[in-house]
């Protein structure tokens, strides 16, 4: 079963018959009582539109056989779905296409484990700082998790052990989860070494590749004296490094398709300290003073209020677009309003070009909104202004500022 692999939120099989083996794998999960997002397989735009009626939006759409999340996209309506399916089929004719109900707003976590065929050693559980929907290779990963409860952690432990034994895995494996409240959904299984293994080995001091190789050579975990998970007494953050500044015109907005080209690591006694060190390692210069531009989608505005309050307390000034600015002002947080690009000049891009902005917090969704805010992200890159496009990333950034 070494070909088994699921990827960012679908469950699929590489190098096997897609529909048949996805069905077989989902039956195994039902038997083990492990929840997973509803899914389907289609071969045309017409089939995709029909299936969408059953699965419901938002949907994660991707070709059946890809690496790095290539051509993977979250769609929110029929128009976007039809356009993306046609785009995939034009580039990859006769490819089956996966549709999975996307778990919006979920926290993502992953577990690395070693199995000798019978016993399972869970190396570590990592919490993604970015929400589900961003490729795991692009997300910040934190070890150990900082706000996953004991009940959630126990479910992750139980599911990991069940799947490792059921698949008769011998060696390393990686499993990824989406978490909504206390509900855990399986979104990816990789019975092989993951990109996180070097990170976890460094954070825990455990030679994971050596232990796994010995298991594959027939030496059990018990014979190696490996029985208990090592929980580090410090926090470690894995941060991705992106090449955007070297490729003018590329949109740095993160999503299901992987864009990073490297990774760095930060270690600290607190989450904020570890995140700050990871930012420094990635070459990101976070500000300690100046103006912060905040513009977020409607469902993020209460989070923006909390962030605004923290930033003002740290001595930052705030500028915001009308919707976000109104929410801040109603919460008695001082801010100045600035035009969006399509509202006329002077607008936010003018402020970025004039070096009047030190940090950008901008969340968006929907095809039009993403297109409208592209110039903000590209201008931030050109003028080396730190920015984040998720609330979770903004919270981590604000925590890190205290350690600069």
């Amino acid at each position: 079963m070494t070909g088994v692999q699921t990827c960012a939120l679908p469950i699929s099989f590489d190098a096997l018959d897609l529909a048949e083996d996805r069905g077989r794998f989902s039956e195994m999960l039902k038997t083990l009582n492990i929840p997973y997002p509803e899914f389907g397989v289609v071969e045309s735009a017409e089939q995709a539109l029909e299936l969408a009626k059953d699965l419901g939006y938002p949907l994660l759409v991707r070709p059946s056989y890809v690496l790095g999340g290539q051509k993977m996209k979250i769609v929110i309506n029929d128009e976007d779905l039809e356009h993306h399916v046609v785009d995939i089929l034009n580039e990859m004719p006769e490819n089956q296409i996966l549709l999975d109900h996307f778990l919006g707003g979920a926290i993502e976590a992953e577990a690395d484990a070693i199995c000798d065929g019978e016993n399972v050693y869970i190396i570590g559980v990592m919490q993604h700082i970015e929400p589900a929907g961003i490729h795991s290779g692009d997300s910040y990963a934190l070890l150990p998790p900082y706000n996953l409860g004991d009940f959630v952690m126990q479910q992750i432990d139980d599911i990991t052990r069940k799947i490792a034994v059921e698949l008769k895995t011998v060696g390393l494996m990686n499993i990824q989860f989406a978490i909504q409240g206390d509900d855990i959904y399986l979104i990816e299984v990789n019975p092989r070494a993951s990109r996180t293994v070097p990170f976890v080995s460094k954070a825990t001091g455990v030679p994971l590749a050596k232990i796994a190789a010995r298991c594959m050579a027939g030496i059990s975990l018990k014979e190696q004296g490996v029985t208990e998970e090592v929980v580090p007494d410090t926090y470690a953050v894995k941060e991705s490094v992106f090449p955007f500044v070297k490729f003018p015109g590329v949109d740095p907005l993160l999503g299901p398709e992987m864009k990073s080209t490297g990774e760095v690591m930060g270690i600290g006694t607190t989450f904020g300290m570890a995140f700050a060190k990871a930012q420094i390692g990635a070459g990101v210069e976070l500000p300690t003073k100046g103006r912060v531009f905040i513009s977020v989608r409607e469902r993020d505005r209460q989070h923006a209020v909390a962030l605004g309050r923290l930033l003002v307390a740290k001595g930052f000034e705030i500028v915001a677009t009308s919707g976000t600015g109104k929410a801040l002002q109603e919460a008695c947080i001082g801010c100045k309003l600035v035009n969006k690009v399509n509202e006329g000049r002077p607008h936010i891009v003018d402020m970025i070009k004039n070096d009047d902005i030190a940090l950008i917090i901008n969340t968006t969704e929907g095809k039009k909104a993403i297109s409208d805010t592209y110039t903000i992200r590209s201008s931030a890159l050109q003028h080396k202004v730190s920015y984040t496009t998720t609330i979770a990333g903004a919270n981590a950034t604000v925590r890190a500022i205290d350690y600069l």
Side-chain angles (χ1 to χ4, degrees):
M1 298 287 288
T2 55
V4 179
Q5 180 181 359
T6 62
C7 203
L9 300 174
I11 300 172
S12 64
F13 286 72
D14 287 343
L16 299 172
D17 181 83
L18 183 62
E20 177 183 345
D21 287 292
R22 276 172 67 94
R24 190 177 351 139
F25 194 68
S26 65
E27 286 302 315
M28 183 195 82
L29 296 179
K30 289 177 182 176
T31 300
L32 296 175
N33 197 29
I34 298 173
Y36 58 91
E38 293 298 318
F39 68 87
V41 183
V42 300
E43 296 180 348
S44 69
E46 291 77 13
Q47 291 179 3
L49 292 171
E50 192 63 30
L51 180 59
K53 296 176 183 177
D54 295 328
L55 298 181
Y57 291 104
L59 291 171
L60 186 69
V61 184
R62 54 157 270 188
S64 56
Y65 307 119
V66 295
L67 292 174
Q70 182 186 10
K71 304 297 286 186
M72 190 183 294
K73 185 177 180 180
I74 298 166
V75 301
I76 61 174
N77 55 45
D78 284 356
E79 182 183 357
D80 287 350
L81 174 61
E82 184 174 18
H83 181 272
H84 190 54
V85 169
V86 170
D87 183 46
I88 292 173
L89 292 176
N90 283 340
E91 190 168 321
M92 305 174 184
E94 300 181 3
N95 202 323
Q96 290 180 308
I97 297 173
L98 315 182
L99 270 63
D100 295 77
H101 180 69
F102 176 68
L103 302 172
I107 297 171
E108 192 165 338
E110 59 185 308
D112 275 342
I114 299 173
C115 184
D116 59 13
E118 296 181 357
N119 301 298
V120 181
Y121 170 50
I122 297 179
I123 303 163
V125 176
M126 292 150 280
Q127 178 179 353
H128 289 191
I129 297 171
E130 306 290 352
I134 293 177
H135 194 283
S136 60
D138 288 349
S139 289
Y140 305 112
L142 175 66
L143 178 72
Y146 72 102
N147 65 355
L148 298 183
D150 292 340
F151 181 64
V152 168
M153 292 292 287
Q154 187 60 55
Q155 288 185 80
I156 290 174
D157 186 286
D158 292 344
I159 292 172
T160 301
R161 294 180 188 279
K162 284 180 181 179
I163 291 178
V165 172
E166 187 69 21
L167 293 179
K168 297 180 173 58
T169 306
V170 178
L172 286 159
M173 74 178 306
N174 171 272
I175 301 182
Q176 295 184 19
F177 307 87
I179 303 162
Q180 290 184 322
D182 286 337
D183 296 324
I184 309 293
Y185 297 86
L186 178 72
I187 57 174
E188 182 170 338
V189 177
N190 298 301
R192 55 165 173 76
S194 172
R195 68 174 63 83
T196 52
V197 168
F199 166 68
V200 178
S201 290
K202 186 73 173 178
T204 61
V206 179
L208 305 176
K210 182 184 290 187
I211 294 170
R214 286 173 173 169
C215 284
M216 296 172 76
I219 305 173
S220 70
L221 290 168
K222 186 176 180 180
E223 289 172 319
Q224 295 185 59
V226 178
T227 56
E228 296 184 4
E229 177 186 351
V230 175
V231 179
D233 56 5
T234 57
Y235 286 99
V237 171
K238 176 182 73 69
E239 178 166 356
S240 301
V241 177
F242 298 94
F244 301 135
V245 72
K246 297 180 180 179
F247 297 95
V250 173
D251 192 340
L253 185 67
L254 300 182
E257 187 167 354
M258 185 173 171
K259 297 180 179 180
S260 61
T261 53
E263 295 176 339
V264 297
M265 177 177 177
I267 299 177
T269 55
T270 67
F271 168 41
M273 180 186 293
F275 190 83
K277 289 183 176 180
Q279 292 280 295
I280 293 169
V284 177
E285 296 184 11
L286 294 180
T288 56
K289 60 182 180 180
R291 290 191 184 93
V292 180
F293 169 66
I294 305 179
S295 180
V296 299
R297 56 195 174 189
E298 187 172 352
R299 61 188 171 95
D300 289 338
R301 285 178 187 164
Q302 287 306 307
H303 297 291
V305 168
L307 286 167
R309 191 169 284 120
L310 288 172
L311 287 164
V312 169
K314 295 178 189 298
F316 287 90
E317 298 178 29
I318 297 177
V319 296
T321 48
S322 57
T324 304
K326 181 181 179 182
L328 292 169
Q329 290 170 348
E330 288 177 349
C332 299
I333 298 171
C335 71
K336 294 181 179 179
L337 300 184
V338 61
N339 286 340
K340 299 177 182 178
V341 174
N342 59 7
E343 292 175 341
R345 309 184 78 163
H347 48 56
I348 180 56
V349 171
D350 293 323
M351 294 188 72
I352 295 171
K353 291 179 178 179
N354 291 334
D355 296 323
D356 289 333
I357 301 296
L359 175 66
I360 295 171
I361 299 172
N362 178 218
T363 69
T364 187
E365 65 183 346
K367 189 174 181 180
K368 184 178 186 304
I370 289 172
S371 175
D372 289 346
T373 55
Y374 166 73
T375 53
I376 295 175
R377 297 186 293 275
S378 61
S379 297
L381 279 175
Q382 294 168 14
H383 292 267
K384 298 182 179 179
V385 179
S386 297
Y387 67 94
T388 176
T389 58
T390 67
I391 288 295
N395 277 310
T397 297
V398 172
R399 285 173 178 247
I401 287 172
D402 289 333
Y403 296 93
L404 298 175

